[in-house]
Amino acid sequence: MAEQLKILGVCGSLRKGSLNMAALRACNELMPQGMAMTITHIEDLPLFNQDVFDAGIPEAAKRFRAEVSGADGVLIASPEYNFSLSAALKNAIDWASRPPNQSWQDKPVAIFSVSQGPLGGARVQYDARRILGQLWAHVLPRPEVFIGMGPSKFADGKLTDEATKKFLTDLLAGFKPWIERMRVKK
Ligand SMILES: Cc1cc2nc3c(=O)[nH]c(=O)nc-3n(C[C@H](O)[C@H](O)[C@H](O)COP(=O)(O)O)c2cc1C
C-alpha cells in the first residue's frame, strides 16, 4: 500500500467559531490521496517560560512537541492579529522550538490565513514564514493562500466559497510533493 503522509493541522485561533479552524477542517476533504490530517489543539499550552521548560516540560507541551516531531508535514491556519501572529500560535511555535530535538528542524510546513480584512492575512504569513524559516522548517513557498473578507466565505461554520476551496486544493496538492522533496530520511 502507498505510504500515507501524516499531516498535523494547527490553528492559530482559539475561538470556538474560528474561520481558520473551519477552513482547516475543510482541508480534510480537499487533500489529495495519500495524505491524512489530524488537527491538534494549542489552547492548553501554558505561556512559554524557560524556567518551566527547564524544570520539566509540561504535559501539553510534550504532547505538542511530539505531534510536530512525528508529523510528515504541518499545515498551519493562521489568523492575523494586529498585523502579525496570534499569541497562541507564537506560543505554540516557541514551545516546539527549544532544544534538544527542536521540533521544527527540517519540518515541511504549509501555511494559509483567513482574516476579516481584504488582504487575507498577508502580513501574518510573512512573519510566520520568517519565524519558521530561522528554525529550519521548510515552508512551502507557493501557492500562497490568503483568504480575505473571511466572514463572507463561510456559512454555519463551513467553508462555502468555491474559489477558496480551489485555492486550498491547489495548496494541498503542492504540499504533498513538497513534503516528499524536503523531508529528511531518518
Ligand atoms: C486581537 C485581534 C487583532 C486583529 N488584527 C487583525 C489584523 O491585523 N488584520 C486583519 O485582517 N484582521 C484582524 N483581526 C480580525 C481577524 O481577522 C478576525 O477576527 C478573524 O476572523 C480571526 O480569525 P478566526 O475567525 O480564525 O478567529 C483581528 C482580530 C483580533 C481579535
Side-chain angles (χ1 to χ4, degrees):
M1 212 169 85
E3 188 198 4
Q4 189 84 341
L5 297 177
K6 285 185 284 184
I7 308 301
L8 181 71
V10 179
C11 178
S13 170
L14 306 185
R15 210 163 68 81
K16 196 151 54 98
S18 164
L19 302 178
N20 281 277
M21 182 58 96
L24 193 57
R25 288 201 192 102
C27 288
N28 267 319
E29 280 130 53
L30 305 173
M31 288 208 168
Q33 287 216 330
M35 286 169 104
M37 177 170 64
T38 305
I39 299 177
T40 188
H41 57 106
I42 57 172
E43 75 278 358
D44 57 345
L45 296 170
L47 275 183
F48 182 82
N49 178 336
Q50 188 70 49
D51 292 340
V52 173
F53 186 98
D54 292 343
I57 306 176
E59 283 311 312
K62 264 192 207 157
R63 185 209 75 235
F64 183 68
R65 287 168 66 92
E67 286 171 337
V68 173
S69 296
D72 294 310
V74 179
L75 178 63
I76 298 176
S78 177
E80 181 171 276
Y81 278 7
N82 298 317
F83 288 18
S84 191
L85 280 71
S86 65
L89 179 58
K90 181 61 165 56
N91 188 49
I93 292 173
D94 287 346
W95 271 113
S97 74
R98 303 309 293 159
N101 308 318
Q102 79 98 339
S103 313
W104 300 107
Q105 179 74 44
D106 298 316
K107 191 63 58 183
V109 174
I111 181 165
F112 69 86
S113 48
V114 185
S115 86
Q116 214 168 359
L119 295 185
R123 292 160 295 220
V124 65
Q125 276 201 39
Y126 284 103
D127 279 0
R129 287 170 186 276
R130 181 171 53 86
I131 291 162
L132 290 162
Q134 65 85 29
L135 289 167
W136 282 96
H138 301 308
V139 185
L140 179 71
R142 278 190 287 135
E144 296 180 311
V145 177
F146 307 113
I147 307 174
M149 316 304 280
S152 67
K153 291 170 179 160
F154 297 80
D156 301 323
K158 289 230 158 73
L159 176 62
T160 48
D161 184 66
E162 290 303 322
T164 303
K165 285 187 195 173
K166 171 80 170 69
F167 290 137
L168 288 173
T169 302
D170 291 348
L171 175 78
L172 296 164
F175 193 28
K176 192 172 177 225
W178 179 253
I179 292 172
E180 283 155 354
R181 182 170 166 182
M182 300 312 292
R183 69 184 171 163
V184 173
K185 295 269 178 291
K186 297 211 171 102

